[in-house]
Amino acid sequence: MSPKGESGLKKKGCCATNKCLIFLCFVVSLGITALIVVALLVMNVRGRFPPEQKWWQKTIVYQIYPRSFQDSDGDGIGDLNGIISRLDYFNYLGVDAIWISPVYESPMIDFGYDISNFTKVDPMFGSMENMKTLIKEAHARNLRVILDFVPNHSSNKHPWFIKSELREDPYTDYYIWHDTAPNNWHSVFGGSAWGWSDVRKQYYYHAFLPEQPDLNYRNPAVREEMKNSVDFWGRMGIDGLRVDAIPYLFESTNVSLNEPPSNLPGFTSEQWEYYDHLYTANLPEINDAIQEWSDVLRKYDNSDDDTDNSKFMVVEIYAVPSIRNAYYTNGADMPFNMDLVEGSYPSCNASCIKKLVEIEYNTLPEGKWPNFVMGNHDRSRLTSKRGITTSGKTYTNVLNMLLLTLRGTPTCYYGDELGMEDVDTISFEDTQDPYGLHFGTSAYKNFSRDPERTPMQWDESPQAGFTNSSHPWLPLNQNHTFINVQYEKNASHITPLKVYRALAKLRQEPAFLYGSFDFRYTDDNVISYVRSASGYSSYLVVINVGTETGTIDFKTPYDYQEGTVKVTTGNFDHEDYALDSTIKLDKIILQPAEGLVILLP
Ligand code: NOJ
Ligand code: MG
């Protein structure tokens, strides 16, 4: 017998040996490992291990303009106690985070964006005690509180500016001073950005109103002061900051440089848009400052328990992706993506909206989180922007349907959930907004932000439940008799509030929270897309944001046979797409402003 044969015999008889036991053990443990791996894979596919998401990736951010949300003391101006009294509304709505525009001490020339004390609450809004209560009461309702942080400028009534005008150290260089108005730099609000101080007999730089002098970020003492402000609010227990006007933090030190014309059509040399802001916007130095605030704020991240207590920072910017996305890299969680603020005007049809959404997804830096904004206190309300269809329907529901079903954090402006509209009838005499007033009687309407800042419409009573005063700071929209929370909540038919609520609830499903996003049929009127997370339900969203009927076949190209209506804009002239009905997907017909979210089998 060949040695080979011998060895073969030996092998055959090995079962009784130690080697054989080891081999058996090896096979068994391999089998068990394989089973565990398969089980884990199945669980993962079924979504048992969703990607870890921070709270700000899962919530709607709801912007409160505090002057206009709820007045508690009858002066016609909203306040902190007013907000506290309405906190339950957010639980009802399905919103887990509120951003409150500035409530700090201010002469209110720019309604709080001109701050005279960064760590004090203006008495008009209440006290620090009220703020503490607000934070506590919000947290008791699992609601996060994001405050506005306005670092670029202070009020000209801030003690720092007053002392700077007097050349009192260390404040002498807290602002940007020159003997002459050295160049053509313009204010965002129009006119020269150089204001004259009769006290100091020098010019100072202001990117916004003359009453909002820019702080000098090249002065380390200023940097320290602003870090201390962030620290103050971090200690106070806030959950995040919305950072105002981030592009304007630094200006070139070479003031001999004039800004060239932008050549944008339709602007006069008096306007900011007329110039290309090479020396006054988006300077690279901004990154370090943001990082400093972020480091301070994140000291207050608290991971001692299971709760996600990470702090959040979003920076305000209107810019193309190549510019805004740079702000993802310096400690901010995200820059606002304002593309849909313009994209919700009728000049942007469905194909244009699709392009804007694609731009956000395709340009997003690796590992970063997308976001979308459609309205805020500086721009016309979304319902007013897009107008009405020939049959008199507003686009409120389709726009909210879009915003709340996209992948990424949506930021919503108070009242847009109701379909509140701009108040366009405010006379020049009654206009409050300095930006509007700057352009005089003939043009103020093109610039005033008062129309979108009118009081929240809570009910149909004479002051809409906003105030007991007969003189709210801005007039109420007369349509508050039928566009208000109480009516829209209790109506027997589908209302914008009900649609918004249904969408907010649905957003909590994995498909919307973190699922994939894939466009389906789109033309100039209709947009459709599918959201899905493996192991969970998938949804088809189809909306008509256009002016013509859309007829869509989802069967031929995508093989979708039928689905169940889970959210409807409710403004259909027929019953075919009623809530919870199962509908055929080979021919969906949508009139302008109609939309559906359909559960796919
Ligand atoms: C942007 C704010 O949103 C706006 O309301 C304000 O007027 C300017 N920044 C100046 O702070
Ligand atoms: Mg600046």
Side-chain angles (χ1 to χ4, degrees), residues 58-62 87-98 141-143 404 410 412 417 497 500-508 513:
K58 296 189 272 193
T59 182
I60 297 168
V61 174
Y62 183 104
L87 288 177
D88 288 340
Y89 177 61
F90 301 108
N91 291 151
Y92 165 78
L93 206 53
V95 157
D96 296 326
I98 49 175
R141 291 167 176 78
N142 293 320
L143 188 62
L404 300 186
C412 299
E417 73 277 23
L497 179 60
Y500 188 99
R501 234 182 130 222
L503 292 166
K505 187 158 177 240
L506 200 65
R507 276 196 98 251
Q508 292 307 309
L513 272 188

Side-chain angles (χ1 to χ4, degrees), residues 20-81:
C20 180
L21 267 178
I22 290 169
F23 180 70
L24 256 183
C25 286
F26 176 70
V27 170
V28 169
S29 41
L30 205 69
I32 292 173
T33 315
L35 272 176
I36 292 173
V37 169
V38 169
L40 287 175
L41 275 176
V42 169
M43 282 165 83
N44 201 22
V45 167
R46 293 199 52 76
R48 291 287 171 268
F49 301 123
E52 205 175 294
Q53 285 186 295
K54 305 275 188 206
W55 60 266
W56 51 268
Q57 297 176 300
K58 296 189 272 193
T59 182
I60 297 168
V61 174
Y62 183 104
Q63 183 191 356
I64 293 177
Y65 195 67
R67 292 180 73 85
S68 301
F69 197 63
Q70 180 64 57
D71 177 23
S72 72
D73 58 6
D75 63 356
I77 300 171
D79 46 48
L80 293 180
N81 276 338

Side-chain angles (χ1 to χ4, degrees), residues 152 176 205 207 214-215 217 248-251:
N152 178 64
I176 300 153
Y205 179 75
D214 272 47
L215 285 158
Y217 272 83
Y248 312 108
L249 209 65
F250 280 87
E251 301 74 29

Side-chain angles (χ1 to χ4, degrees), residues 57-229:
Q57 297 176 300
K58 296 189 272 193
T59 182
I60 297 168
V61 174
Y62 183 104
Q63 183 191 356
I64 293 177
Y65 195 67
R67 292 180 73 85
S68 301
F69 197 63
Q70 180 64 57
D71 177 23
S72 72
D73 58 6
D75 63 356
I77 300 171
D79 46 48
L80 293 180
N81 276 338
I83 297 174
I84 295 169
S85 73
R86 294 292 189 181
L87 288 177
D88 288 340
Y89 177 61
F90 301 108
N91 291 151
Y92 165 78
L93 206 53
V95 157
D96 296 326
I98 49 175
W99 147 35
I100 308 175
S101 282
V103 289
Y104 314 108
E105 190 185 85
S106 164
M108 300 291 165
I109 304 294
D110 192 21
F111 301 113
Y113 283 96
D114 49 321
I115 297 170
S116 52
N117 187 330
F118 288 95
T119 53
K120 218 180 144 199
V121 171
D122 194 282
M124 181 179 283
F125 293 121
S127 64
M128 196 57 82
E129 275 315 304
N130 299 150
M131 178 57 95
K132 285 184 187 160
T133 308
L134 191 156
I135 295 170
K136 196 165 137 236
E137 290 294 322
H139 287 172
R141 291 167 176 78
N142 293 320
L143 188 62
R144 311 282 178 154
V145 179
I146 301 164
L147 292 189
D148 225 302
F149 176 50
V150 189
N152 178 64
H153 44 269
S154 73
S155 157
N156 63 340
K157 296 287 184 284
H158 195 297
W160 299 342
F161 188 76
I162 294 169
K163 290 177 185 164
S164 194
E165 280 191 296
L166 295 168
R167 296 177 197 263
E168 224 179 83
D169 277 335
Y171 304 102
T172 310
D173 295 325
Y174 264 41
Y175 298 84
I176 300 153
W177 294 100
H178 285 281
D179 288 336
T180 56
N183 52 40
N184 71 347
W185 296 354
H186 268 60
S187 153
V188 175
F189 287 149
S192 170
W194 296 100
W196 172 251
S197 162
D198 222 15
V199 179
R200 181 152 159 163
K201 308 287 181 215
Q202 270 192 316
Y203 288 89
Y204 61 92
Y205 179 75
H206 59 88
F208 293 91
L209 296 172
E211 293 86 352
Q212 293 168 301
D214 272 47
L215 285 158
N216 174 13
Y217 272 83
R218 299 188 191 276
N219 181 340
V222 169
R223 301 277 277 261
E224 235 12 69
E225 299 270 19
M226 297 314 277
K227 273 162 60 181
N228 290 342
S229 306

